[in-house]
Amino acid sequence: ARRRLAGYKDAAKALEEEEEGKAQRKRANVELAPPRTPCEFCVFLQLSEQLRFALAGDAKSEPPSFMRCMVELWQLVRLNGVYRPREDPDGIQRKSLDDFVVLLLQRLASLRPAQAKETPEWAGLLEALRLDTSPFERRLCKVWAVVQDSCSKPAGETRAQASPNIVLAVELLHTYARLADLPSCISASIRELRRGPAKRANRLLKDPHFLAGLREVAASIPGGAAAAQVTKVWVALLEELQGEEPAWWAAALLEHIIRGVKASDLSLKQFRQLILRSYALLDRLQKGTQLPEQCADGLSAALSVLGRRLAAWELPGS
């Protein structure tokens, strides 16, 4: 019995030593293995989590310095190249950016237009957009909703600078134009204009900075993708002008897109049918007095200018 007991003790001791050896080797492997998330981002994550706790209250009563600090942290992440989602198999970086965009949209949606005018949340959305478009792709309609709801009433004098929400809207259009996906961005804006109150369209489409940005976006579309993108946007806006309740703002959007398009990237053959279809629809709407005169005149002028530019470009050289 004593020998059997001694054998049990020896076996238990040997098993304990073996388990301790395994634990040591496991710890050594963990120490030698590269971190699954970059160390710089882990440091940023700890700082941002502390700020998130401070921002857990009401957006209307918090000092803006907390959110401004978080936006500046994300700016440092972008400027120093810390955001590297391909090196993060656990997806922690993408999830952090996604949560940041959700937080910003929730806070902006809870504010009145006057309160949301100069808040740092707009700068945060710009930083997130410059880092990665994926958090916006699933929330394009929400982004356009907060942009449109934050537009100020048309003023007698034109502001020297665009408001932060308009800056974000124009940058969003530029980003999707570079991705050859401008139609989906415009479609999300159309859905929110249809879904929301009339003041959304009145304020957005009377902002000169937004209209100028729309023309710049149309002019900046890369040559190879210009025809396809412009055609899809054009058709989508023409559809909004048909039916029982034609949307005047669709004509205004189409007017400024047409004015911005570079004729050198297009072809009269490609756009002849669209121009003729647009004229026919415009004539029908004018006869039915369903479209504001100013909007109809602007669209007619834009179509005429584009037609002349395309025709002049198509002429053979002397």
Side-chain angles (χ1 to χ4, degrees), residues 257-273:
I257 289 173
I258 290 173
R259 287 186 183 276
V261 169
K262 291 188 295 186
S264 59
D265 293 333
L266 308 178
S267 167
L268 182 59
K269 185 182 296 184
Q270 291 173 306
F271 285 88
R272 182 182 286 112
Q273 292 299 322

Side-chain angles (χ1 to χ4, degrees), residues 47-60:
L47 294 172
S48 65
E49 284 300 318
Q50 295 300 318
L51 283 170
R52 284 183 72 90
F53 286 131
L55 290 167
D58 184 10
K60 301 175 184 178

Side-chain angles (χ1 to χ4, degrees), residues 2-283:
R2 289 179 180 176
R3 286 195 299 271
R4 192 179 301 116
L5 182 60
Y8 289 154
K9 289 181 179 179
D10 293 340
K13 186 177 181 181
L15 184 60
E16 185 177 348
E17 291 175 352
E18 184 180 353
E19 291 296 327
E20 180 64 24
K22 289 181 179 179
Q24 289 179 355
R25 289 192 297 272
K26 186 176 180 180
R27 284 195 295 271
N29 290 335
V30 168
E31 291 173 358
L32 292 173
R36 294 177 68 84
T37 301
C39 298
E40 307 96 321
F41 195 84
C42 291
V43 174
F44 155 77
L45 203 57
Q46 292 180 357
L47 294 172
S48 65
E49 284 300 318
Q50 295 300 318
L51 283 170
R52 284 183 72 90
F53 286 131
L55 290 167
D58 184 10
K60 301 175 184 178
S61 59
E62 292 166 0
S65 57
F66 290 165
M67 177 52 70
R68 193 172 293 113
C69 184
M70 179 173 275
V71 171
E72 289 175 357
L73 277 175
W74 276 105
Q75 185 180 40
L76 288 172
V77 166
R78 178 178 62 84
L79 294 176
N80 292 281
V82 176
Y83 184 77
R84 301 190 295 272
R86 293 183 180 180
E87 300 176 17
D88 185 8
D90 295 330
I92 294 175
Q93 297 187 54
R94 287 189 186 277
K95 186 179 183 306
S96 300
L97 186 62
D98 199 73
D99 292 342
F100 180 55
V101 171
V102 170
L103 174 66
L104 294 173
L105 291 176
Q106 289 174 347
R107 291 169 65 86
L108 286 170
S110 67
L111 298 174
R112 295 194 300 271
Q115 293 174 315
K117 190 175 180 181
E118 298 296 338
T119 55
E121 280 82 354
W122 297 112
L125 286 173
L126 266 178
E127 290 297 332
L129 182 62
R130 289 164 181 165
L131 279 169
D132 195 351
T133 58
S134 57
F136 293 83
E137 290 175 2
R138 300 186 298 275
R139 303 178 181 89
L140 268 180
C141 287
K142 290 183 179 180
V143 174
W144 277 111
V146 296
V147 166
Q148 294 165 6
D149 287 336
S150 301
C151 288
S152 304
K153 294 180 180 179
E157 297 181 359
T158 304
R159 297 185 303 274
Q161 293 182 340
S163 54
N165 61 318
I166 297 300
V167 173
L168 175 67
V170 174
E171 184 66 25
L172 192 67
L173 291 169
H174 272 295
T175 301
Y176 274 81
R178 287 192 295 268
L179 295 172
D181 199 17
L182 182 62
S184 66
C185 191
I186 295 287
S187 296
S189 178
I190 289 173
R191 284 195 294 273
E192 288 307 311
L193 287 172
R194 275 286 187 191
R195 189 182 304 168
K199 65 180 182 181
R200 279 185 177 178
N202 288 328
R203 294 180 180 182
L204 182 67
L205 272 298
K206 291 181 180 177
D207 190 303
H209 296 288
F210 175 74
L211 297 177
L214 196 61
R215 294 193 295 272
E216 291 174 5
V217 170
S220 68
I221 299 176
Q229 292 198 73
V230 172
T231 301
K232 289 180 180 178
V233 171
W234 197 328
V235 170
L237 291 172
L238 284 181
E239 289 176 356
E240 294 299 321
L241 288 168
Q242 299 173 2
E244 297 179 357
E245 297 182 3
W248 66 267
W249 44 261
L253 284 171
L254 185 55
E255 173 193 346
H256 289 277
I257 289 173
I258 290 173
R259 287 186 183 276
V261 169
K262 291 188 295 186
S264 59
D265 293 333
L266 308 178
S267 167
L268 182 59
K269 185 182 296 184
Q270 291 173 306
F271 285 88
R272 182 182 286 112
Q273 292 299 322
L274 266 179
I275 292 174
L276 293 176
R277 178 181 167 188
S278 301
Y279 269 121
L281 177 61
L282 185 61
D283 183 59

